[in-house]
Amino acid sequence: MIGKTVKVIVDRPLGSHHPQHKDMYYPVNYGYVEGIIAPDGEEQDAYIIGVDVPMKEFTGKIIAIIHRYDDVEEKWVVAPENASFTKDEIIEQVKFQEQYFRSEVII
């Protein structure tokens, strides 16, 4: 999957709060890849990094996969085509949500 270009539908734009957990603020755009079903039965979730404005949809490259050891699904990390980030930079961007899981970043 890494290196593949995908379109992400953003349902939690940068600056928004989680619909059920109002204390969870989204410092990145977050959404799903339409038509790709994840192991949880929902469409594949994706973080968008490297974009600093709220978006409704975004087409970019999968640069990493966050593998959760204590959850049934993985999260994809999508960025602009020519962007690159280190594992540490990715962890820093997504820790607002990933801090609740035991996971690793695969690049």
Side-chain angles (χ1 to χ4, degrees):
M1 298 282 21
I2 294 175
K4 182 178 178 185
T5 299
V6 294
K7 179 173 140 184
V8 179
I9 307 300
V10 177
D11 57 359
R12 296 182 192 152
L14 182 149
S16 66
H17 288 83
H18 190 282
Q20 281 99 24
H21 309 286
K22 300 296 183 190
D23 59 331
M24 184 182 290
Y25 168 82
Y26 283 81
V28 299
N29 289 288
Y30 180 82
Y32 59 92
V33 179
E34 205 168 42
I36 304 289
I37 303 302
D40 67 352
E42 301 290 328
E43 289 175 303
Q44 177 63 52
D45 292 329
Y47 295 106
I48 300 168
I49 65 173
V51 177
D52 61 358
V53 295
M55 308 191 85
K56 293 185 180 193
E57 63 181 48
F58 175 77
T59 299
K61 180 177 66 173
I62 301 170
I63 63 163
I65 296 171
I66 298 175
H67 174 71
R68 290 181 172 174
Y69 293 103
D70 49 0
D71 197 6
V72 297
E73 63 178 323
E74 296 178 325
K75 305 291 183 181
W76 292 354
V77 180
V78 179
E81 193 66 36
N82 296 320
S84 66
F85 295 87
T86 66
K87 281 186 182 184
D88 288 341
E89 289 171 327
I90 293 168
I91 290 166
E92 183 65 27
Q93 296 258 342
V94 301
K95 73 179 180 183
F96 74 97
Q97 184 163 260
E98 293 306 315
Q99 66 184 326
Y100 302 110
F101 299 92
R102 202 170 56 83
S103 62
E104 75 170 315
V105 176
I106 301 164
I107 56 174

